[in-house]
Amino acid sequence: MSEQWLTSLITETAQEGYELAIKLSRMGIKYTQPDEEIRGKIRPVYGENADNLIASSQVIATNFQTVSAANNYWRN
Amino acid sequence: MSEQWLTSLITETAQEGYELAIKLSRMGIKYTQPDEEIRGKIRPVYGENADNLIASSQVIATNFQTVSAANNYWRN
Amino acid sequence: MSEQWLTSLITETAQEGYELAIKLSRMGIKYTQPDEEIRGKIRPVYGENADNLIASSQVIATNFQTVSAANNYWRN
Amino acid sequence: MSEQWLTSLITETAQEGYELAIKLSRMGIKYTQPDEEIRGKIRPVYGENADNLIASSQVIATNFQTVSAANNYWRN
Amino acid sequence: MSEQWLTSLITETAQEGYELAIKLSRMGIKYTQPDEEIRGKIRPVYGENADNLIASSQVIATNFQTVSAANNYWRN
Amino acid sequence: MSEQWLTSLITETAQEGYELAIKLSRMGIKYTQPDEEIRGKIRPVYGENADNLIASSQVIATNFQTVSAANNYWRN
């Protein structure tokens, strides 16, 4: 992907970190299926499917571990 | 999401940390499906489905790893 | 949940730590489905289902990582 | 469980550590389904099912992370 | 595999690290199914399947944890 | 298993580490299903199944985390 979309894992707040984890999760799907049109068709399907919603939250949780560690858990 | 819902990963007790992990898990679903009405329809489905309940507990466990590390496991 | 069920991640032995991991895993299900009657109906289903049993063991393994780290792996 | 089955996460070799990870994985199933007869019926099913075999290997991998960290990866 | 495809986990930027995580995820599939023709048949299937896309993003997230830790989260 | 198959988690290169992660993943299946003939029947099934291939890559990713940490990410 020639586009630059990730410059740093450091965020100011925990919530911004969580939102970066969401972005990382979505980019995993985008790299696997680069065709915007196909992703657009799938989105309403998994948005109403409990399995898919929980699995999406699992991916976000995994990426949030990474972002949280990178930021020393915004302890200070 | 313009609403502020996460200000810190630090909690006073392990149980509050567990409850924060639950909140993080739910927010992953909320960001993926922002429509409250649709989420309301799905909730009774996965609440009675063993696969979904176990998968939800898996997401919580993953987020609890993050919150526990952030709090140095409430060792002191 | 107003009930206090988790006061510490520290346990005396590794086996007690494993049993705490099981408790954490069950609480994830309990928070997601607070209705005891519904959980009671689901229990015999997943107790005889290989997918569910393995997935349960996965949740326990994830929580055991947390509890083990909290206890410095009971190295001493 | 009154029986003592886990006294330490420390093992002499990496292979023994892997085998302890397998034991931890099996105990997760045993605690969830304590009835030996039911587990005996399920075993031949998941032993021939690709999904179940891969998921079992996933649980073992997760527990092996814990055991490996406990043993400082048997570096010395 | 006699071909050399991985020389280092160190990357200059976080985005390159994410792209290395994608490569690691794909190699896991390639080692499991070395036949290029069979992989070519499966690719369009999982590229349009929400379960598969989310699961792919999960594998990438897991590998990104490894690459991020290797690079000290590109903190400097 | 009386056979010795794992003597160390230390490898010279990152790629050898990845290949050790594959071996660990396969051994998880072998310990769960020791019968070579049954495994031989299952192999062509999951080798053409997108779910199984992605799940296999997930197990490898998890084991690669362990091997990478053991080797300090081959940083030097």
Side-chain angles (χ1 to χ4, degrees):
Chain A
M1 194 169 282
S2 53
E3 181 204 345
Q4 200 194 14
W5 59 274
L6 178 65
T7 52
S8 171
L9 295 180
I10 307 307
T11 67
E12 270 197 39
T13 67
Q15 183 166 330
E16 283 173 39
Y18 193 87
E19 287 165 359
L20 176 56
I22 290 169
K23 184 175 190 179
L24 290 164
S25 306
R26 287 187 181 152
M27 291 307 289
I29 289 174
K30 193 169 176 181
Y31 274 97
T32 310
Q33 178 47 272
D35 187 323
E36 167 57 30
E37 208 185 322
I38 295 174
R39 289 202 314 277
K41 276 184 207 154
I42 295 167
R43 210 170 291 135
V45 177
Y46 75 73
E48 305 201 12
N49 178 295
D51 286 10
N52 290 169
L53 285 172
I54 299 168
S56 297
S57 188
Q58 181 69 48
V59 181
I60 294 167
T62 305
N63 280 314
F64 187 54
Q65 288 192 329
T66 307
V67 177
S68 296
N71 286 278
N72 283 319
Y73 306 96
W74 304 275
R75 274 197 199 109
N76 304 318
Chain B
M1 194 168 283
S2 53
E3 181 204 346
Q4 199 195 17
W5 60 273
L6 179 65
T7 52
S8 171
L9 295 180
I10 306 307
T11 67
E12 269 197 40
T13 67
Q15 183 167 331
E16 284 172 40
Y18 194 88
E19 288 164 0
L20 176 55
I22 291 169
K23 184 174 190 180
L24 290 165
S25 306
R26 289 189 181 151
M27 291 307 290
I29 290 174
K30 194 169 175 181
Y31 274 97
T32 310
Q33 178 47 271
D35 187 324
E36 168 56 30
E37 209 184 320
I38 296 173
R39 289 202 313 278
K41 276 185 206 154
I42 296 167
R43 209 170 291 134
V45 177
Y46 76 71
E48 304 202 11
N49 177 295
D51 287 11
N52 290 169
L53 286 172
I54 299 167
S56 297
S57 190
Q58 180 70 48
V59 181
I60 294 166
T62 305
N63 280 314
F64 188 54
Q65 289 192 328
T66 307
V67 177
S68 296
N71 286 279
N72 283 320
Y73 306 97
W74 304 275
R75 275 198 199 108
N76 303 318
Chain C
M1 194 169 282
S2 53
E3 181 205 345
Q4 199 195 15
W5 60 273
L6 179 64
T7 52
S8 171
L9 295 180
I10 306 307
T11 67
E12 269 197 40
T13 66
Q15 183 166 331
E16 283 173 40
Y18 194 87
E19 287 165 358
L20 176 54
I22 291 169
K23 184 175 190 179
L24 290 165
S25 306
R26 289 188 181 151
M27 291 307 289
I29 290 174
K30 194 170 175 181
Y31 275 96
T32 310
Q33 179 47 271
D35 188 323
E36 167 56 29
E37 209 184 320
I38 295 174
R39 289 202 314 278
K41 276 184 207 154
I42 295 167
R43 209 170 292 135
V45 177
Y46 75 72
E48 305 202 11
N49 177 295
D51 287 11
N52 290 169
L53 286 172
I54 299 167
S56 297
S57 189
Q58 180 70 48
V59 181
I60 295 167
T62 305
N63 280 314
F64 188 54
Q65 289 191 328
T66 308
V67 177
S68 296
N71 287 278
N72 283 320
Y73 305 96
W74 303 275
R75 274 198 199 109
N76 303 317
Chain D
M1 194 168 283
S2 54
E3 179 205 346
Q4 200 196 15
W5 59 274
L6 179 64
T7 53
S8 171
L9 295 179
I10 306 306
T11 67
E12 270 197 38
T13 66
Q15 182 166 331
E16 284 173 39
Y18 194 88
E19 287 164 358
L20 177 55
I22 291 169
K23 184 174 189 180
L24 291 165
S25 306
R26 288 188 181 151
M27 291 307 289
I29 289 174
K30 194 170 175 181
Y31 274 97
T32 309
Q33 178 47 272
D35 187 323
E36 168 57 30
E37 208 184 321
I38 295 173
R39 289 202 314 277
K41 277 185 208 152
I42 295 166
R43 208 169 293 135
V45 177
Y46 75 72
E48 305 203 12
N49 177 295
D51 287 11
N52 290 169
L53 286 172
I54 299 168
S56 297
S57 189
Q58 180 70 48
V59 181
I60 294 166
T62 305
N63 280 314
F64 188 53
Q65 288 192 329
T66 307
V67 177
S68 296
N71 287 278
N72 283 320
Y73 305 97
W74 303 276
R75 274 198 200 110
N76 304 318
Chain E
M1 194 169 282
S2 53
E3 180 204 346
Q4 201 194 13
W5 59 274
L6 179 64
T7 53
S8 172
L9 295 180
I10 306 307
T11 66
E12 270 197 40
T13 67
Q15 183 166 330
E16 283 173 40
Y18 194 87
E19 287 165 359
L20 176 55
I22 290 169
K23 184 175 189 179
L24 290 165
S25 306
R26 289 189 180 151
M27 291 307 289
I29 289 175
K30 193 169 176 181
Y31 274 97
T32 310
Q33 178 48 272
D35 187 324
E36 167 58 30
E37 207 185 321
I38 296 174
R39 289 202 314 277
K41 276 184 208 153
I42 295 167
R43 210 169 292 135
V45 177
Y46 74 73
E48 304 202 11
N49 177 294
D51 287 9
N52 290 168
L53 286 172
I54 299 168
S56 296
S57 189
Q58 180 70 48
V59 181
I60 295 167
T62 305
N63 280 314
F64 188 53
Q65 289 192 328
T66 307
V67 177
S68 297
N71 287 278
N72 283 319
Y73 305 97
W74 303 275
R75 274 198 200 107
N76 304 318
Chain F
M1 195 168 283
S2 54
E3 180 204 346
Q4 199 195 15
W5 60 273
L6 179 64
T7 53
S8 171
L9 295 179
I10 307 306
T11 67
E12 270 196 38
T13 66
Q15 182 166 331
E16 283 173 39
Y18 193 87
E19 287 164 359
L20 177 55
I22 291 168
K23 184 174 188 179
L24 290 164
S25 307
R26 288 188 181 151
M27 291 307 289
I29 290 174
K30 193 169 175 181
Y31 274 97
T32 309
Q33 178 48 271
D35 187 324
E36 167 58 29
E37 208 184 321
I38 296 174
R39 289 201 313 278
K41 277 185 208 153
I42 295 166
R43 209 169 293 135
V45 177
Y46 75 72
E48 305 202 11
N49 178 294
D51 287 10
N52 290 169
L53 285 172
I54 299 168
S56 297
S57 189
Q58 180 71 47
V59 181
I60 294 167
T62 305
N63 280 314
F64 188 53
Q65 289 192 328
T66 307
V67 177
S68 296
N71 286 278
N72 283 319
Y73 304 97
W74 304 275
R75 275 198 199 108
N76 305 317

